[in-house]
Amino acid sequence: MSILVTGAAGFIGSNFVLDWLRGCDEPVISLDKLTYAGNLQNLASLQGDARHTFVLGDICDRALVDSLLTTHQPRAIVHFAAESHVDRSIHGPGEFMRTNIDGTFTLLEAARGYWSALEGEAKAAFRFHHVSTDEVYGSLKPNDPPFTETNTYEPNSPYSASKAASDHLVRAWHHTYGLPVTTSNCSNNYGPYHFPEKLIPLIIANALAGKSLPIYGDGQQIRDWLYVTDHCSAIRAVLAKGRVGEVYNVGGWNEMPNLQIVHTLCDLLDELSPAASGKSYREQITYVTDRPGHDRRYAIDARKIERELGWRPAETFDTGIRKTVQWYLANQDWVANVLSGAYREWLETNYASRS
Ligand code: NAD
Ligand code: TYD
């Protein structure tokens, strides 16, 4: 048995694959196009590990996906691959429509063909797990209850609209064709291998580089934050025990305004890696023009996954954010490579010797 993981070289995908192979010996086939956000260095510790196969390719390539399914006969597809950054979706939405919508459609069609031809136990056990976001539900007012799985979809950015479209496709492929799907909608993740264009790794990298720490608008926008390995354990729980056709909201019960996140990061850095100037990193905070259409608040009601599958996050925000800052301090080369594009050269080095 094996599983096929799309987007496995990205932030959450790589954490998921590393976590999976730490916990069991079931092989993983990783499919990733290695866009700017995909980084094989995230999976470097698996080099030479017979349980892991990396395939460079696009989820929109139907022939490739078909051949991977035929060759490896996975018992599940875990679908992370996506364009994931809201600000990029505002500057250039095209790639978001292609990967997030067309790509999910292609995978669903390939999965449907593969699953239809399976028989008996293999057919009954097969799962297509779709990894999605709380952003599909839109923006909450200060006193609104957190999002449940039955909230209406009100996506506001090109990114969330493309993810909402993909969720609807997954739902329809179950409803119409019986494809055994599950979906999880998760809040903002943080942790190791987070690409430094997103708030938390960007603030850490900029602080250490002596650059300004940009706060969009008034910094009072609220997100719920979940440590990435808790998201991975939630997906494993859904894969193992989730009911087919169901949606599970995943969150950390940890709503926080952006400014508070940035203050926390500055305080941790002041403690763990004080600036040579003796000044607090808080002094680098700068307010910048807000993101157009910026959602004010997201919050997740994660009671369904707790009630049905017994899942709860293992990390609190305090433990998770400290681990995250420590990881970035210990892995400043990773950040430097990503920012300099040096990991692309590493890719060439890695692939030059392969057929
Ligand atoms: P990421 O941008 O770090 O990684 C995405 C990965 O997908 C990259 O490795 C990229 O190379 C790959 N990819 C992109 N287009 C592809 C294509 N056409 N074919 C094959 N591979 C392709 O994203 P992430 O933060 O790891 O998010 C993973 C998934 O989780 C996404 O579906 C995202 O919507 C969802 N999600 C993310 C968060 C979060 O806080 N980051 C929260 C909830 C849900
Ligand atoms: P981000 O990490 O891009 O995730 P998302 O937009 O998917 O929630 O941003 C998290 C929050 O931080 C969001 O409200 C936008 C804000 N933000 C800033 O204030 N400054 C920044 O430089 C970035 C990248 C984000």
Side-chain angles (χ1 to χ4, degrees), residues 5-15 31-40 42 54-61 64 79-85 95 98-100 102-104 107 130-135 159 162-163 166-167 184-190 193-195 197-198 224-226 228 231 235 250 343-344:
V5 177
T6 73
F11 164 45
I12 309 175
S14 60
N15 275 285
L31 171 60
D32 198 295
K33 187 181 166 186
L34 299 180
T35 67
Y36 80 94
N39 184 351
L40 264 189
N42 301 359
F54 180 80
V55 179
L56 177 61
D58 192 328
I59 56 165
C60 299
D61 181 345
L64 172 66
H79 176 32
F80 292 95
E83 288 293 332
S84 68
H85 188 39
E95 241 354 75
R98 203 186 78 85
T99 286
N100 300 2
D102 284 353
T104 302
L107 274 182
H130 178 55
V131 180
S132 194
T133 165
D134 59 358
E135 304 193 23
Y159 163 65
S162 67
K163 290 298 288 187
S166 69
D167 292 9
S184 50
N185 292 85
C186 188
S187 57
N188 284 54
N189 285 213
Y190 65 98
Y193 304 115
H194 204 180
F195 198 84
E197 65 183 355
K198 306 279 171 67
D224 171 71
W225 293 93
L226 181 70
V228 63
H231 188 189
I235 294 169
V250 181
Y343 77 93
R344 299 220 165 270

Side-chain angles (χ1 to χ4, degrees), residues 9 16 26 70 85 87 107 166 170 214 222 249 266 271 275-276 293 328:
F16 181 82
E26 185 175 2
T70 308
H85 188 39
D87 293 316
L107 274 182
S166 69
V170 171
I222 291 173
N249 281 0
C266 290
E271 174 197 330
Y328 277 91

Side-chain angles (χ1 to χ4, degrees), residues 136-156:
V136 297
Y137 299 121
S139 186
L140 292 168
K141 300 209 163 41
N143 295 319
D144 285 347
F147 301 127
T148 68
E149 290 78 359
T150 55
N151 260 82
T152 50
Y153 270 42
E154 293 177 357
N156 290 319

Side-chain angles (χ1 to χ4, degrees), residues 289-324:
T289 310
D290 207 353
R291 171 189 281 172
H294 200 169
D295 284 338
R296 199 69 187 162
R297 174 177 167 235
Y298 305 137
I300 279 278
D301 181 336
R303 281 178 297 179
K304 177 177 173 183
I305 189 169
E306 177 168 6
R307 190 173 62 244
E308 291 194 11
L309 309 182
W311 177 87
R312 264 194 82 83
E315 301 288 344
T316 63
F317 188 71
D318 284 351
T319 60
I321 200 69
R322 182 172 280 274
K323 278 188 188 179
T324 303

